[in-house]
Amino acid sequence: LGPNGAGKSTTIKILTTLCRPTGGTVKVAGYDILSEADKIREKIGVALQTTAIDPVLSGREMLKLQGRLFRLSYSQSAKRADELLELLSLKEDADRQCGKYSGGMQRKLDLALSLIHRPEILFLDEPTSGLDPVSRAEIWKEIKRLNKEEGTTVFLTTQYLEEADMTADRVCIINEGIISAVARTKDL
């Protein structure tokens, strides 16, 4: 949790091996981010502030491709794509080009892409920024479900105290790259 420019996105990029730290050591899922980045990438799902959507492919095509990149078989990729399309209310639009999706639909598809391989840890960088209230509620509902029902560890950034309070077990407050507090939400 922190204001714009606090270091939230940089932290996510370091933890997901997209950016090298300037110092210190970091382990994710028990692996060192510098020497074991490939092992970390197999264990995590990532959805950044900007979506990684190919506007020409359909949602179904994007999900199946992502599944294949994570070494799922063709049939496993297709099955998992169908599960996620249903789960995130995208089934009706599954075969439309992603470039024609609304912003909320693109965010949901981006979340689905990060979940295709059932990651142990899910990193979300301000997953609801710019979304309407209905889409925000749907995304938060799914994030909570993933954590509670599937045991997925969710590491997310937000600027909104109410979102952190509503969803997090523990909160880290960061400002200007400095951690000012880490605690369970009830203790803050």
Side-chain angles (χ1 to χ4, degrees):
L1 180 67
N4 286 333
K8 300 182 305 292
S9 295
T10 300
T11 301
I12 289 259
K13 287 177 184 174
I14 290 170
L15 294 172
T16 58
T17 74
L18 296 173
C19 181
R20 295 178 70 84
T22 56
T25 59
V26 180
K27 288 192 175 196
V28 174
Y31 298 107
D32 181 83
I33 63 164
L34 296 176
S35 63
E36 300 173 295
D38 289 343
K39 291 178 182 177
I40 291 171
R41 290 181 192 130
E42 291 176 6
K43 303 281 185 188
I44 66 172
V46 182
L48 300 175
Q49 284 182 359
T50 54
T51 59
I53 305 293
D54 184 326
V56 176
L57 295 178
S58 72
R60 185 182 315 279
E61 290 169 331
M62 288 279 314
L63 286 163
K64 287 165 59 175
L65 173 62
Q66 186 83 340
R68 294 296 295 143
L69 292 172
F70 276 101
R71 295 185 213 100
L72 299 178
S73 70
Y74 288 107
S75 62
Q76 289 171 322
S77 292
K79 182 180 179 193
R80 185 68 174 143
D82 286 341
E83 289 171 6
L84 291 167
L85 290 164
E86 179 75 34
L87 189 66
L88 293 167
S89 305
L90 292 170
K91 196 167 188 166
E92 283 184 28
D93 299 292
D95 298 309
R96 281 183 40 212
Q97 286 184 318
C98 297
K100 297 180 180 169
Y101 282 14
S102 70
M105 291 169 68
Q106 287 185 8
R107 293 296 266 184
K108 287 196 270 185
L109 179 60
D110 202 42
L111 178 59
L113 289 166
S114 70
L115 296 171
I116 194 78
H117 61 299
R118 299 183 194 279
E120 291 176 25
I121 305 170
L122 179 61
F123 289 92
L124 303 172
D125 193 6
E126 299 196 23
T128 62
S129 65
L131 294 182
D132 63 83
V134 172
S135 295
R136 283 178 76 185
E138 288 175 351
I139 295 281
W140 286 122
K141 179 181 175 187
E142 180 55 21
I143 291 168
K144 286 181 191 177
R145 189 198 68 75
L146 285 166
N147 178 254
K148 300 294 184 227
E149 294 178 20
E150 295 192 24
T152 305
T153 297
V154 181
F155 185 106
L156 67 91
T157 67
T158 183
Q159 300 176 54
Y160 305 112
L161 183 57
E162 71 275 4
E163 286 185 350
D165 189 42
M166 169 177 78
T167 59
D169 294 324
R170 292 187 311 171
V171 174
C172 170
I173 299 174
I174 187 171
N175 192 26
E176 296 181 10
I178 306 291
I179 295 172
S180 55
V182 179
R184 294 181 308 178
T185 53
K186 68 178 187 167
D187 295 333
L188 288 173

